[in-house]
Amino acid sequence: MSAGASAINTQWRLASRPTGEVGREHFEVTHSPLPEPGEGEVRVRNLYLLIPPSMRLWMNEKDTYFPAQVLGEVMTGITLGVVESSRDPSLAPGDYVNGLGGCQEWSIAPVGHLQKIQPRPGVPLAAYRSVLDVQGLTAYCGLTEIGKPRAGETLVVTAAAGSVGSLVCQIGKKLGLKVVGIAGGADKCAWLRDECGIENVIDYKHEDVAARLDALCPEGIDIAYENVGGPVMDMIIERLRNKGRVVLCGLVSSYNGGVTQNTASLMQLVNKAARMEGFLVSEYLHRYDEVIATLQDWAADGSLKYRIEVLDGLDKIVEAMTRVFHGKNQGVQLVKIAQEGTQ
Ligand SMILES: NC(=O)c1ccc[n+]([C@@H]2O[C@H](COP(=O)([O-])OP(=O)(O)OC[C@H]3O[C@@H](n4cnc5c(N)ncnc54)[C@H](OP(=O)(O)O)[C@@H]3O)[C@@H](O)[C@H]2O)c1
């Protein structure tokens, strides 16, 4: 259904800042009249909302790579939507666009804030706001630009069955690395092994991680792609080889607070003349077209696997975030705001 002149926009606003896990009480849901787009703007019907772990960090008082979310404002959200009406010749109704459309049904945006996407037949639309977008670019550029892999080296990946991690594992294998994936639970490990072809997996919830790392990486670790932090990260750093590289992508175990890193393991960076480097995917936007084209080709020929989980409706935001922090998400976690084909 398209937005008429009197359409009402359901919006999720941040009402208070969580100190631990996010709950329904941290949001206020409002219903506001939908404004018309101005000159150079479009009105977008939001279809999918990505639920990245860092969404939890945006709710804190401290700035991240985004300014801190203002209380009372519509919660920031990474969205894919369809243009419903346009006041700029560069976008037409029916065009699919990626943007920061927020946790709401519709958004009005200047065209310069949106990226038009052209889905290939046979590829789910939702992939264009996840694995064939920010998460794919994060995986590819983090591994290649920071990890500087050389064929034959050993790569260890944490949150290995997650959206970014599962891509890193598979890209690492394509580059000729020996890949060890660490994930929570037998199901995730089986998927990595049986579907993604990652033979060396460690279930950190049920196995002795240190002993398994020693067995699987007898000569140590060349590259650690770190998504989680905490005690497993310490075990990995302790096993770095000379001139090892730690690709610091994220520290999801600390996002709800309460986890502190053991800095003693960092001495190993000195002992092994190793490097730990953080990065932001936004630094690699200049490589977007080239990298996403490669990932699309691999997805199309079936050599790159991914999973996308969709919860239906904006009122599933809290549940979706909770799933991510309890490892219940099997791959990408999205919330569907409206049905595809809705315009
Ligand atoms: N640097 C960048 O530009 C950039 C861009 C995108 C994402 N990231 C980072 O990449 C990482 C992965 O993000 P993603 O979107 O791909 O999420 P994801 O891996 O699909 O989901 C998060 C996973 O982290 C694990 N996890 C959650 N809470 C945990 C805890 N307390 N302790 C241990 N493991 C926990 C769970 O996997 P298990 O079930 O296996 O424990 C969960 O499924 C995050 O750190 C994120 O912030 C960074």
Side-chain angles (χ1 to χ4, degrees):
M1 189 181 67
S2 91
S6 59
I8 296 296
N9 194 11
T10 299
Q11 301 174 305
W12 280 59
R13 296 171 186 273
L14 189 67
S16 61
R17 301 192 192 282
T19 48
E21 289 203 35
V22 68
R24 175 64 184 81
E25 67 278 14
H26 300 114
F27 291 101
E28 181 194 8
V29 179
T30 58
H31 307 280
S32 318
L34 186 61
E36 290 297 320
E39 191 63 37
E41 292 183 331
V42 294
R43 182 173 62 217
V44 178
R45 179 68 142 123
N46 293 330
L47 300 176
Y48 290 106
L49 172 70
L50 180 68
I51 308 291
S54 54
M55 197 166 168
R56 171 64 188 80
L57 297 177
W58 309 338
M59 296 176 167
N60 293 343
E61 203 166 6
K62 198 171 164 191
D63 290 350
T64 57
Y65 49 93
F66 286 151
Q69 172 75 37
V70 177
L71 288 178
E73 295 284 310
V74 175
M75 182 67 208
T76 303
I78 298 177
T79 51
L80 181 154
V82 60
V83 173
E84 220 175 48
S85 66
S86 174
R87 297 211 36 214
D88 190 277
S90 64
L91 286 174
D95 285 345
Y96 289 113
V97 286
N98 278 341
L100 285 173
C103 300
Q104 55 183 343
E105 290 179 295
W106 280 277
S107 52
I108 308 281
V111 290
H113 291 188
L114 300 169
Q115 181 189 21
K116 183 173 171 176
I117 51 170
Q118 274 150 336
R120 282 193 195 175
V123 179
L125 187 58
Y128 290 94
R129 192 72 276 204
S130 52
V131 289
L132 299 178
D133 183 56
V134 61
Q135 291 157 332
L137 194 65
T138 302
Y140 192 97
C141 291
L143 179 59
T144 56
E145 301 260 3
I146 313 284
K148 304 258 185 256
R150 290 182 291 267
E153 288 188 322
T154 297
L155 163 71
V156 174
V157 183
T158 53
S163 340
V164 172
S166 60
L167 298 176
V168 174
C169 287
Q170 295 174 82
I171 296 165
K173 215 175 157 205
K174 282 176 179 289
L175 297 176
L177 303 176
K178 174 179 173 179
V179 180
V180 178
I182 305 180
D187 285 358
K188 289 187 176 185
C189 288
W191 178 73
L192 276 173
R193 201 174 38 240
D194 302 340
E195 290 290 317
C196 305
I198 307 302
E199 299 94 0
N200 306 305
V201 288
I202 301 174
D203 173 356
Y204 77 89
K205 288 185 175 164
H206 300 104
E207 292 186 278
D208 178 339
V209 177
R212 293 280 289 137
L213 281 172
D214 286 340
L216 292 170
C217 315
E219 290 171 22
I221 296 165
D222 297 291
I223 308 170
Y225 194 105
E226 186 52 59
N227 289 315
V228 175
V232 171
M233 177 174 167
D234 291 325
M235 293 177 207
I236 293 169
I237 291 175
E238 291 290 358
R239 289 163 176 77
L240 282 178
R241 293 185 75 178
N242 209 35
K243 295 286 178 192
R245 287 85 75 198
V246 180
V247 182
L248 200 53
C249 178
L251 295 168
V252 65
S253 67
S254 67
Y255 294 178
N256 283 315
V259 173
T260 47
Q261 199 64 41
N262 171 14
T263 50
S265 67
L266 298 182
M267 192 59 203
Q268 188 70 350
L269 297 175
V270 179
N271 296 336
K272 297 292 178 176
R275 170 167 61 85
M276 181 188 295
E277 186 175 341
F279 74 100
L280 277 177
V281 62
S282 51
E283 296 173 85
Y284 298 106
L285 293 179
H286 59 284
R287 295 197 62 192
Y288 188 94
D289 291 346
E290 159 224 345
V291 170
I292 299 305
T294 302
L295 298 178
Q296 282 206 80
D297 288 344
W298 288 341
D301 71 19
S303 66
L304 187 75
K305 310 285 185 192
Y306 58 86
R307 296 195 288 195
I308 299 180
E309 276 194 352
V310 181
L311 291 181
D312 234 328
L314 268 178
D315 58 357
K316 292 286 180 9
I317 288 176
V318 172
E319 182 182 336
M321 289 185 73
T322 305
R323 286 178 69 78
V324 167
F325 286 106
H326 288 265
K328 296 223 164 85
N329 61 313
Q330 307 273 355
V332 176
Q333 181 69 64
L334 292 173
V335 162
K336 187 193 284 178
I337 301 177
Q339 290 295 338
E340 290 175 30
T342 309
Q343 239 194 88

